[in-house]
């Protein structure tokens, strides 16, 4: 396989529609079809479930507006990595990129692949090999894990082939998923067998409380993760000063509406006690409204729809590692792109390897909390960087300004810090895993910190943005 150095740059081939699709596809993944049961188990009532999804959506929209300003100002591959590099320097930028590698993309890819395989084969599929220690499953080999790993490989090959093929497959899967959600919601409300009285149901003896609400928001944060997806493709979006902020805001707003609608259908179909702790909540709701046969068919349909989120994350993630390698902060080979296909194939393969390892060695629910907690930390740091960039004297154009500044970024920062604090108190072991992930990134960074005089790709991009007019650049 022939690759070339990062001087053979990524091409601006993604329009506004495809950018919006990437955001929606990244957000509408396994979370909305799997986490509502866990949230009800935490909160104990359907009213609290809807409130949790609404609050989480507002946090995501606030973050999307902040990232819109950052992305329009610095439109290159890498997302948080590029923004933190300019705001705070290479170490925080590298740590965010490291978190993206392990938590931001590889772990959600693993979670989406597991959810797909579970919906497709059924949760009752017996594992072939399980290794347990101290009551925790450390390794699982089963039909579900084999199918999940296969899907990671298939879509990695698709997105390694070309951006053209990748975006076409992505758009098709996303439109299919949206059609499924809308059709299911409309059919369930008009023809499904349910009861609006479920809206007032509660689970007896459920813990509830403000602390549990904050922890439940971690599940919601996982489900909304992806609101920043277009930012990672900043180097490939046409007219990024306009299209990037629009894609983030439009995609996030649409997903908030879809999530609230879908949860209303779940509540209409299932009482809180039946929903509590259920992973395949979408399949259970379909079975309750239309019968077991339809529920099984809908489970297969959801499985196909979940491939959209899997595909979108496999597409976006490698652009971060590519940007890091271009700056000399990661293995040089991951800064290479194919000579004719213009895709970061080494980075795609590396990401797939990590995701497969997580499929085999991680439990699903623990994976969700680990993802939500760790991503919240890097997103908060990035939005704090927006405040710093507003105060720094620089000549960079600001074609889009965050609506509601400074209240919007303050809402995002303090809301996420509230979630983080309660998660630390209630899930210390999972939090420790997140802290270890960040600390390991610090160690890895030291291996690539031996050339302080080097001018990096990010610094060149910053100078370009500062010194040229937007017409000349795009």
């Amino acid at each position: 396989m022939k690759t070339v150095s990062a001087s053979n740059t990524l091409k601006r081939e993604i329009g506004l529609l495809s950018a919006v699709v990437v955001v929606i596809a990244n957000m509408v993944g396994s979370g909305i079809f799997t986490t509502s049961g866990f949230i009800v188990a935490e909160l104990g009532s359907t009213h609290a479930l809807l409130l949790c999804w609404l609050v989480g959506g507002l946090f995501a929209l606030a973050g999307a507006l902040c990232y819109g300003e950052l992305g329009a100002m610095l439109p290159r591959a890498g997302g948080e990595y590029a923004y933190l590099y300019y705001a705070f320097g290479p170490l925080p930028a590298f740590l965010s990129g490291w978190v993206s590698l392990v938590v931001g993309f590889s772990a959600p890819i693993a979670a989406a692949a597991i959810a797909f395989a579970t919906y497709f084969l059924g949760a009752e599929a017996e594992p072939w090999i399980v290794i347990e220690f101290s009551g925790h499953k450390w390794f699982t080999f089963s039909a579900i894990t084999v199918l999940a790993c296969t899907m990671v490989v298939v879509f990695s090959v698709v997105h390694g082939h070309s951006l053209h093929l990748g975006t076409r497959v992505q758009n098709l899967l996303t439109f299919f998923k949206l059609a499924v959600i809308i059709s299911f919601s409309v059919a369930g409300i008009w023809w499904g067998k349910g009861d609006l009285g479920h809206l007032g149901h509660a689970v007896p003896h459920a813990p509830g409380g403000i602390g549990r609400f904050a922890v439940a928001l971690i599940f919601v944060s996982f489900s909304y993760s992806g609101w920043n997806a277009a930012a990672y493709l900043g180097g490939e979006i046409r007219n990024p000063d306009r299209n990037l902020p629009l894609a983030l805001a439009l995609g996030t707003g649409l997903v908030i509406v879809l999530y609230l609608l879908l949860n209303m259908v779940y509540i209409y179909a299932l009482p809180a006690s039946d929903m509590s702790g259920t992973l395949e909540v979408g399949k259970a709701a379909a079975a309750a409204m239309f019968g077991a046969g339809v529920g099984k068919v809908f489970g297969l349909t959801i499985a196909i729809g979940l491939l959209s989120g899997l595909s979108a994350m496999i597409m976006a993630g490698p652009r971060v590692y590519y940007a890091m390698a271009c700056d000399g902060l990661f293995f040089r080979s991951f800064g290479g792109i194919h000579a004719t296909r213009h895709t970061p194939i080494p980075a795609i393969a590396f990401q797939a390897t990590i995701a497969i390892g997580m499929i085999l060695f991680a439990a699903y629910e623990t994976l969700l909390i680990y993802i939500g907690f760790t991503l919240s930390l890097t997103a908060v740091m990035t939005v704090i960087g927006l405040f710093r960039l507003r105060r720094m004297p620089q000549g960079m154009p600001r074609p889009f300004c965050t609506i509601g500044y400074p209240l919007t970024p303050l809402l995002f920062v303090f809301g996420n810090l509230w979630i983080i604090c309660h998660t630390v108190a209630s899930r210390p072991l999972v939090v420790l895993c997140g802290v270890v992930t960040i600390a390991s990134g610090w160690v890895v960074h030291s291996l690539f910190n031996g050339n302080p005089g080097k001018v990096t790709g990010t610094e060149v991009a910053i100078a370009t943005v500062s010194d040229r007019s937007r017409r000349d650049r795009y």
Side-chain angles (χ1 to χ4, degrees):
M1 181 181 297
K2 183 180 178 182
T3 60
V4 296
S5 69
S7 60
N8 188 8
T9 57
L10 300 169
K11 306 299 181 183
R12 293 197 180 276
E13 301 179 86
I14 300 176
L16 176 60
L17 178 60
S18 291
V20 171
V21 166
V22 167
V23 173
I24 295 173
N26 269 272
M27 294 180 73
V28 186
S30 60
I32 186 58
F33 298 112
T34 58
T35 59
S36 288
F38 297 135
I39 295 169
V40 171
E42 289 283 343
L43 303 181
S45 78
T46 52
H47 284 121
L49 171 68
L50 291 176
L51 180 61
C52 194
W53 282 100
L54 177 60
V55 171
L58 292 177
F59 287 166
L61 183 58
L65 292 173
C66 295
Y67 273 55
E69 177 173 335
L70 292 166
M73 182 172 58
L74 190 60
R76 68 167 305 222
E80 291 104 340
Y81 169 77
Y83 311 150
L84 285 172
Y85 195 108
Y86 189 63
F88 298 111
L91 177 58
F94 177 85
L95 292 178
S96 75
W98 179 258
V99 168
S100 290
L101 170 62
V102 179
V103 186
F105 291 101
S106 298
I109 286 169
I114 292 171
F116 161 78
T118 301
Y119 265 98
F120 192 82
L121 297 176
E124 64 277 0
E126 290 293 328
W128 301 324
I129 301 174
V130 177
I131 298 177
E132 294 189 32
F133 181 74
S134 298
H136 180 80
K137 292 182 180 180
W138 292 97
F139 177 84
T140 304
F141 187 68
S142 65
I144 287 177
T145 58
V146 169
L147 180 57
C149 292
T150 301
M151 289 299 100
V152 171
V153 173
V154 168
F155 281 95
S156 295
V157 171
V158 167
H159 288 291
H161 179 274
S162 66
L163 184 63
H164 177 81
L165 175 62
T167 54
R168 295 303 180 274
V169 170
Q170 185 62 65
N171 291 352
L172 178 63
L173 287 171
T174 302
F175 289 135
F176 172 80
K177 178 165 59 179
L178 290 177
V180 168
I181 292 174
I182 294 171
S183 299
F184 172 65
S185 300
V186 172
I189 292 172
W190 285 102
W191 297 292
K193 182 182 178 182
D195 187 354
L196 288 176
H198 294 164
L199 189 59
H201 278 199
V203 180
H205 311 299
I210 191 69
R212 292 284 183 171
F213 189 87
V215 174
L217 278 169
I218 284 288
F219 291 112
V220 172
S221 296
F222 166 75
S223 301
Y224 277 114
S225 64
W227 52 261
N228 56 349
Y232 297 105
L233 304 172
E236 296 164 277
I237 293 176
R238 296 193 297 267
N239 301 320
D241 53 337
R242 170 185 176 273
N243 289 342
L244 204 157
L246 269 178
L248 293 171
L250 291 174
T252 303
L254 179 58
V255 169
I256 292 172
V257 174
L258 288 175
Y259 278 7
L260 291 173
L261 177 63
L262 200 51
N263 274 282
M264 278 298 301
V265 176
Y266 292 161
I267 293 169
Y268 177 69
L270 299 167
S273 56
D274 289 351
M275 195 185 306
S276 179
T278 301
L279 184 132
E280 297 172 277
V281 65
K283 181 178 179 180
M289 289 188 295
F290 302 110
V294 173
K296 186 175 181 179
V297 171
F298 184 68
L300 295 175
T301 306
I302 290 177
I304 296 172
L306 289 175
L307 294 177
S308 171
L310 176 70
S311 170
M313 289 180 285
I314 289 175
M315 177 183 184
R319 273 66 184 176
V320 181
Y321 332 136
Y322 163 83
M324 292 165 63
C326 289
D327 287 348
L329 295 177
F330 205 43
F331 297 104
R332 184 178 302 175
S333 60
F334 298 129
I337 60 176
H338 195 275
T340 57
R341 301 188 185 281
H342 304 292
T343 55
I345 291 178
I348 292 173
F350 185 55
Q351 175 181 260
T353 302
I354 294 177
I356 289 171
M358 288 188 168
I359 289 170
L360 297 173
F361 291 96
Y364 187 77
E365 182 178 356
T366 302
L367 199 59
L368 299 190
I369 298 176
Y370 168 68
I371 293 167
F373 165 76
T374 315
L375 289 185
S376 293
L377 286 176
T378 57
V380 164
M381 191 66 180
T382 303
V383 174
I384 291 174
L386 176 61
F387 287 106
R388 180 173 173 81
L389 289 173
R390 284 282 187 116
R391 293 177 175 272
M392 289 174 64
Q394 26 91 18
M396 295 176 67
R398 202 177 299 274
F400 175 81
C401 293
T402 302
I403 299 170
Y405 183 92
L407 295 180
T408 300
L410 285 174
L411 170 67
F412 183 83
V413 169
F414 285 109
N416 279 275
L417 287 177
W418 173 58
I419 296 172
I420 289 168
C421 289
H422 281 286
T423 305
V424 170
S426 66
R427 300 289 198 281
L429 182 59
V430 178
V431 168
L432 178 62
C433 291
V435 172
V436 168
T437 300
I438 296 172
S440 64
W442 201 312
V443 173
V444 173
H445 174 265
S446 65
L447 301 176
F448 299 93
N449 198 29
N451 191 10
K454 180 182 177 181
V455 177
T456 70
T458 298
E459 290 166 344
V460 170
I462 291 168
T464 301
V465 174
S466 300
D467 296 341
R468 295 184 185 177
S469 69
R470 302 201 71 79
R471 178 177 297 177
D472 290 340
R473 280 183 283 119
Y474 307 118

